[in-house]
Amino acid sequence: MGQEDLMSTAEDVADQFLRVTKQYLPHLARLCLISTFLEDGIRMWFQWNEQRDYIEATWSCGYFLATCFVLLNLVGQLGGCVLILSRNFVQYACFGLFGIIALQTVAYSILWDLKFLMRNLALGGGLLLLLAESRSEGKSMFAGVPSMGESSPKQYMQLGGRVLLVLMFMTLLHFDASFFSILQNMVGTALIILVAIGFKTKLAALTLVVWLLAINVYFNAFWTIPAYKPMHDFLKYDFFQTTSVIGGLLLVVALGPGGVSMDEKKKEW
């Protein structure tokens, strides 16, 4: 079997998967995407005192402001998740969660940690894709009304979302000389480039979903670590952030790459 035949077979399998899961995929994508916000909002409730004391000690902002920070994170994240899952005011919920990401990036000094910063940006990419999906839903209500270039912002949101999503994979690259690491880096890099430029996008994104799912379950198995150990919380944070990026990739699979992509340009050729 030649390379083209193999690629054609893989695309047929991906198309078949999409046909079977078409009704459920956007819902699953949303659930995965908001999982890290849901987990963090719940953690704010159960670790209220610890989070408040940490912010108060780190920023010397006083008891009241530290309490407001924790309350804002709890209400903002859980409220945003409820709105997104119920498909009400999705755009406002997305903007609210963008704000939470920005706030946490500063408050927890993530700005100076490149790995965590890239993961937060990837999370923002997933929200951009969700924002693009909510725009298309909004327009479908007025299908008979003519529009002049209204889809352009949506297309650039999808492009921005795809590019930001691949930052997650850059944090997973291993720079050592083992054969497995070199192979993983080469395949992973090829796939993230395909997603970023929008070429064979659905197949590449679906392959990344499978790969990332396997890595997540294997490396971030927080349930195997006792809850009192710090590593438990660290792996749990990583697990749900990765799950959110998987949700973003599933949105790419469900919606396609958008107008600013090689797949779309191929149709014009």
Side-chain angles (χ1 to χ4, degrees), residues 127-136 154 157-158 255:
L127 286 175
L128 261 182
L129 291 167
L130 190 55
L131 204 53
E133 187 210 18
S134 70
R135 283 180 65 90
S136 64
K154 179 194 167 189
M157 281 180 198
Q158 287 178 285
L255 299 177

Side-chain angles (χ1 to χ4, degrees), residues 73-201:
N73 272 273
L74 189 152
V75 175
Q77 292 186 104
L78 295 184
C81 290
V82 170
L83 291 176
I84 286 169
L85 287 178
S86 64
R87 295 179 182 256
N88 291 310
F89 305 105
V90 173
Q91 295 190 26
Y92 296 109
C94 286
F95 286 126
L97 292 176
F98 276 127
I100 295 289
I101 291 175
L103 185 64
Q104 290 190 353
T105 299
V106 174
Y108 293 111
S109 302
I110 289 171
L111 203 57
W112 316 118
D113 187 319
L114 187 60
K115 178 182 174 182
F116 286 108
L117 178 61
M118 288 169 81
R119 291 193 170 197
N120 267 17
L121 288 171
L123 201 52
L127 286 175
L128 261 182
L129 291 167
L130 190 55
L131 204 53
E133 187 210 18
S134 70
R135 283 180 65 90
S136 64
E137 281 184 351
K139 279 204 278 298
S140 69
M141 293 167 63
F142 307 98
V145 180
S147 62
M148 291 290 290
E150 283 183 334
S151 61
S152 185
K154 179 194 167 189
Q155 292 174 1
Y156 288 109
M157 281 180 198
Q158 287 178 285
L159 172 63
R162 292 200 320 269
V163 171
L164 288 174
L165 273 182
V166 303
L167 293 177
M168 166 60 86
F169 297 93
M170 293 175 71
T171 69
L172 298 174
L173 298 177
H174 300 284
F175 298 100
D176 58 60
S178 71
F179 173 75
F180 180 74
S181 290
I182 292 170
L183 181 65
Q184 181 177 303
N185 288 351
M186 287 173 63
V187 174
T189 302
L191 288 170
I192 64 177
I193 289 171
L194 290 176
V195 170
I197 65 175
F199 183 67
K200 304 284 185 187
T201 316

Side-chain angles (χ1 to χ4, degrees), residues 8-26 202 206 253-254:
S8 178
T9 304
E11 287 182 324
D12 288 343
V13 170
D15 286 340
Q16 181 63 31
F17 171 80
L18 283 173
R19 279 194 291 272
V20 172
T21 60
K22 189 177 180 181
Q23 284 184 302
Y24 315 104
L25 203 57
K202 291 187 177 184
L206 195 56
V253 175

Side-chain angles (χ1 to χ4, degrees), residues 30-46:
R30 282 169 176 254
L31 183 60
C32 289
L33 188 55
I34 58 99
S35 64
T36 192
F37 299 108
L38 193 60
E39 186 274 332
D40 198 52
I42 293 169
R43 185 163 57 87
M44 289 290 167
W45 174 262
F46 286 105

Side-chain angles (χ1 to χ4, degrees), residues 45-77:
W45 174 262
F46 286 105
Q47 295 182 1
W48 180 283
N49 292 332
E50 294 95 319
Q51 295 295 327
R52 183 198 61 220
D53 293 345
Y54 172 81
I55 293 298
E56 187 179 359
T58 304
W59 293 96
S60 304
C61 58
Y63 182 90
F64 177 73
L65 285 178
T67 302
C68 288
F69 172 84
V70 179
L71 182 63
L72 181 63
N73 272 273
L74 189 152
V75 175
Q77 292 186 104

